[in-house]
Amino acid sequence: MNECYYDKRMDFFYNKTKTDTADEWTGPQLIVVLCFGTFFCLFIFISNSLVIAAVVKNKRFHFPFYYLLANLAAADFFAGIAYVFLMFNTGPVSKTLTVNRWFLRQGLLDTSLTASLVNLLVIAVERHMSIMRMKIHSNLTKKRVTFLIISIWAIAIFMGAVPTLGWNCLCDITVCSSLAPIYSRSYLVFWSVLNLVVFFIMVVVYIRIYMYVQRKTNVLSSHTSGSISRRRTPVKLMKTVMTVLGAFVVCWTPGLVVLLLDGLNCTHCGIQNVKRWFLLLALLNSVMNPIIYSYKDDEMWGTMKRMIFCSSEDKSQDRRSSRIPSTVLCRSTDTSGHYIEDGIIQGTICGKGDLGDKGNS
């Protein structure tokens, strides 16, 4: 029967896996990592707090898409907390940690990153449902959205706790990872492959959205003369989709590949030399999410700017300016390509269920 090492400190496991945590986290490299990490975390806290506050404050955001967006912001805010905890418990300090404290450090990271990823997937599916059915929002009720949000966090917490629950190498140090000295290599393979599969699903979903909008736009252009803005719709949509997918690929894929290589016990891949930089890339994803999913929405950005600068604009004028685009898009019968594109970027698609314009119909 294998001996278990629950009472050992992390220096025992780092020595067993021959992982050096001191030399690589000293000097200019450490300063650069900590400076970038601190800046990113501060931005995560501020920007995602503004997103959540904007959704709560603006009643026009009280729809499923924006509830999920706020939950994504909450997940990214939690990611900032996880990275702050990591910065104070990494480098030479890692060897002094107890097993439970190290599990907590990694569990926070796994939970936050999983929550962000699952949120992105749910938002993509919600947008797909709305666009395919030509509705302002999907048929998600508040109860269903609440259930989705609870499920997202349940999945994230479970994934973060899986190694603690038993999928580790405390009782069999021969299968320990080098990047995560008390994680089993098989778990790293499972976790990285699972996330790559989710990434693939997101790619498929957004490709279907783009192809659908492009097809509708082509049908529209064959029956109408079309305006310049409508002709540019596919280009705008492609830029949005490429921004979303490009950010995910750049920020997540390198780290997932490194974890996969470590899980496959690649001893000559030099993963120890790049792990901290890929960790910063994963952190950067939480920085970019509020920019991609929120700042492209003019009304969201306007609400956030008003909160930042504490402006006291006339409310009636603000309501009139915010309702004009919705009224124009919903009443126009020959601009389907345009309002589909706006719906993807801004989270609203005009239709019979537009609550904002029901009183004016």
Side-chain angles (χ1 to χ4, degrees), residues 63-65 68 122 126 129 133 137-145 148:
F63 292 100
F65 171 80
L68 294 172
V122 172
E126 194 275 344
M129 292 169 56
R133 297 177 181 178
H137 290 289
S138 60
N139 292 330
L140 294 175
T141 62
K142 289 186 177 180
K143 290 184 178 180
R144 291 179 179 177
V145 173
L148 276 176

Side-chain angles (χ1 to χ4, degrees), residues 14-296:
Y14 280 111
N15 292 333
K16 285 291 184 181
T17 56
K18 298 180 181 180
T19 302
D20 191 356
T21 61
D23 295 338
E24 64 181 22
W25 289 90
T26 57
Q29 290 184 342
L30 177 62
I31 295 176
V32 171
V33 170
L34 291 179
C35 288
F36 273 96
T38 302
F39 173 78
F40 287 159
C41 288
L42 288 175
F43 184 84
I44 287 172
F45 292 145
I46 295 173
S47 60
N48 287 286
S49 296
L50 286 173
V51 172
I52 297 173
V55 173
V56 173
K57 180 179 179 181
N58 195 330
K59 293 183 178 180
R60 290 179 61 85
F61 297 149
H62 292 181
F63 292 100
F65 171 80
Y66 289 103
Y67 293 146
L68 294 172
L69 186 68
N71 192 49
L72 173 62
D76 290 327
F77 187 95
F78 185 81
I81 297 176
Y83 281 108
V84 170
F85 189 84
L86 172 66
M87 285 192 295
F88 286 98
N89 293 275
T90 193
V93 181
S94 298
K95 289 189 175 183
T96 66
L97 299 178
T98 63
V99 168
N100 290 334
R101 191 171 182 85
W102 196 94
F103 271 136
L104 176 61
R105 189 189 81 174
Q106 297 304 123
L108 289 175
L109 286 173
D110 294 345
T111 299
S112 62
L113 296 180
T114 303
S116 296
L117 182 60
V118 177
N119 263 287
L120 292 174
L121 176 62
V122 172
I123 288 175
V125 174
E126 194 275 344
R127 287 296 84 203
H128 184 272
M129 292 169 56
S130 301
I131 294 168
M132 294 302 174
R133 297 177 181 178
M134 299 296 294
K135 293 183 179 181
I136 183 173
H137 290 289
S138 60
N139 292 330
L140 294 175
T141 62
K142 289 186 177 180
K143 290 184 178 180
R144 291 179 179 177
V145 173
T146 302
F147 174 77
L148 276 176
I149 292 175
I150 294 175
S151 299
I152 287 170
W153 284 102
I155 293 172
I157 293 172
F158 175 75
M159 290 300 297
V162 165
T164 309
L165 297 175
W167 201 344
N168 55 60
C169 62
L170 293 177
C171 296
D172 186 5
I173 59 176
T174 61
V175 298
C176 287
S177 157
S178 65
L179 290 179
I182 57 177
Y183 275 13
S184 173
R185 290 195 299 269
S186 61
Y187 174 75
L188 290 187
V189 173
F190 163 77
W191 197 84
S192 57
V193 170
L194 178 63
N195 282 276
L196 289 173
V197 169
V198 174
F199 164 68
F200 176 76
I201 294 173
M202 289 180 60
V203 172
V204 172
V205 170
Y206 279 111
I207 289 177
R208 280 180 56 84
I209 291 175
Y210 171 74
M211 292 179 64
Y212 178 81
V213 174
Q214 187 179 46
R215 185 169 63 252
K216 287 293 183 180
T217 305
N218 291 337
V219 172
L220 173 69
S221 61
S222 64
H223 291 84
T224 62
S225 58
S227 63
I228 296 178
S229 63
R230 282 190 308 232
R231 292 174 183 174
R232 291 176 178 173
T233 296
V235 178
K236 292 180 180 179
L237 181 58
M238 175 57 80
K239 289 182 179 179
T240 302
V241 174
M242 292 304 296
T243 301
V244 174
L245 298 182
F248 189 86
V249 169
V250 171
C251 295
W252 279 85
T253 302
L256 292 175
V257 171
V258 165
L259 288 177
L260 182 59
L261 292 175
D262 188 31
L264 296 175
N265 199 23
C266 181
T267 57
H268 303 290
C269 297
I271 56 179
Q272 293 291 341
N273 300 325
V274 297
K275 64 178 184 180
R276 60 186 177 275
W277 305 112
F278 291 163
L279 184 62
L280 284 177
L281 276 178
L283 171 63
L284 184 61
N285 183 240
S286 294
V287 174
M288 298 181 69
N289 283 338
I291 299 175
I292 297 173
Y293 286 90
S294 302
Y295 298 166
K296 284 183 175 294

